[in-house]
Amino acid sequence: MLDANLKAQLGTYLERVTEAVELRASLDDGAKSLELRNFLEEVAGLSDQITLVAEPEGTQRTPSFAIARAGTDISVRFAGIPLGHEFTSLVLALLQVGGHPVKLDDEVIAQIRGLPGEYHFETYFSLSCQNCPDVVQALNAMSVINPNIHHVAIDGALFQQEVQDREILSVPAVFLNGELFHQGRAGVEEFLALLDAGDSTAKVDALNARDEFDVLVVGGGPAGAAAAVYAARKGIRTGVVAERFGGQVLDTMAIENYISVLETEGPKFGVALEQHVKAYEVDIMNLQRAARLIPGKPLQVELESGATLKAKSIVLSTGARWRQINVPGEDEYRNRGVAYCPHCDGPLFKGKRVAVIGGGNSGVEAAIDLAGIVGHVTLIEFGDVLRADDVLQRKLRSLANVDILTSAQTQEIHGDGKRVTGLSYKDRSTSQEHQIELEGVFIQIGLVPNTEWLKGVVDLSRHGEIIVDARGQTSIPGVFAAGDATTVPYKQIIIAAGEGAKSALAAFDYLIRSSVSDESSEQAKAA
């Protein structure tokens, strides 16, 4: 199961285990149980602190295993073999259950320990999902800190019947005490907020009490992170307010064009961004959505939580989100057959019929990936021809289970009230309408900037992008912008990071000139 490289890595990590750990396996005579048994034997053989024991038949999902601290109630459970993206989740679970400290702020740990009652979480994941490990690792950490929190991470591809019975069509999907609790990426702080841990009024008061920032960065993606680092290095008071640190990059599968980084994945890159910013004295205010920008001196940003932050200068780096096709049924069946991440949700449609809407690189790549999993793929492109790179088009056309429709306008996504059953489209060359029966629709038509909250305040292009000059300056003095939310062409991570750095330097230059101007005004008044 584990190749020599993974064994060496895992063996090195397991040297940090200080508490006796039991791998409690629930197995039968099936092929997957045999595979899991061999896997667990390999893991147990890498550390004297780890032993493999059998659980009584019929007491747990099969095949599954718990990682338990011997003689305590501390444990986490995996139903399946946590390889792929979940290998890191396995390593962290072994370390944390084995006595290695959970890396969270003391205040957050106190909140977790103070949660009242008992919680039984179940997370359905897929091994190809880059968003799932954050959820699995967050709930595992919470269950290690508070034994009244129980968590089992379930491979949806292995437990297909459960997925069907619970009508799960998007991962990660989290159930709490048997009821759907959350879908999509989340971390410890998000789960605490959903569980209403802590005093929300006190949190708003704490934000309102922040001193005025020299530079306030709104958004925590590559542009925002670069702006924060460059501002902090100037020794000025810097803050970052973000809905989720990492931004859109967290939903990116493979990154192979960031210079000096040969290959990485979006979530890893997002973590690295946050760690780099945390290396400086930057006030990071996560899980906060900006609601209103108020020009003036000082500049102000109102948050949806009700708090208001003040700053002498601002860098807007709010990024973008998946563009919707805005047809009937899209919102109604989101996460019930309508999806935006083929890597995350593709395995849930194994053997089924799906459509991919969009003929650019993202859409064609999604269709190619899905063709290896699902029964049939129909690619739907509004234009007369596909817009993807030629090499991708040749690969797509070589696949036997793919149909390509061009000049096709999606009209409606149909369902039975619970899940998607098909879609209808109009042939733009004949105006005839057609209907396709299918179980899933993956939408890949690009991005839309997160700038609705700035309308009427900052000048925007007809596409909703923030209009900036060569220095990142917006139409409001002291307010700069960078990244995918702006008019700067070519929406790439490396370009966003460069623009973020440039905007921070421009903001610093603005602060210097403003202070000189203010000082001259005061001297003139005194004279």
Side-chain angles (χ1 to χ4, degrees), residues 216-298:
L216 176 63
V217 181
V218 184
V229 168
Y230 270 73
R233 286 175 63 86
K234 293 297 184 181
I236 57 180
R237 179 168 166 72
T238 305
V240 175
V241 59
E243 187 174 355
R244 61 169 185 168
F245 210 99
Q248 183 74 16
V249 75
L250 298 175
D251 300 324
T252 303
M253 187 65 175
I255 299 172
E256 299 175 346
N257 55 0
Y258 195 88
I259 305 306
S260 84
V261 180
L262 188 62
E263 182 179 358
T264 187
E265 296 169 351
K268 291 181 181 179
F269 191 81
V271 170
L273 289 177
E274 187 169 9
Q275 289 175 340
H276 197 169
V277 173
K278 285 183 174 179
Y280 295 90
E281 292 186 9
V282 176
D283 188 351
I284 299 176
M285 296 155 281
N286 209 359
L287 305 183
Q288 298 290 336
R289 184 197 289 261
R292 186 183 174 206
L293 173 64
I294 304 174
K297 288 192 174 184

Side-chain angles (χ1 to χ4, degrees), residues 86-98:
E86 293 300 339
F87 182 71
T88 302
S89 302
L90 169 70
V91 173
L92 285 174
L94 287 165
L95 291 178
Q96 291 167 353
V97 173

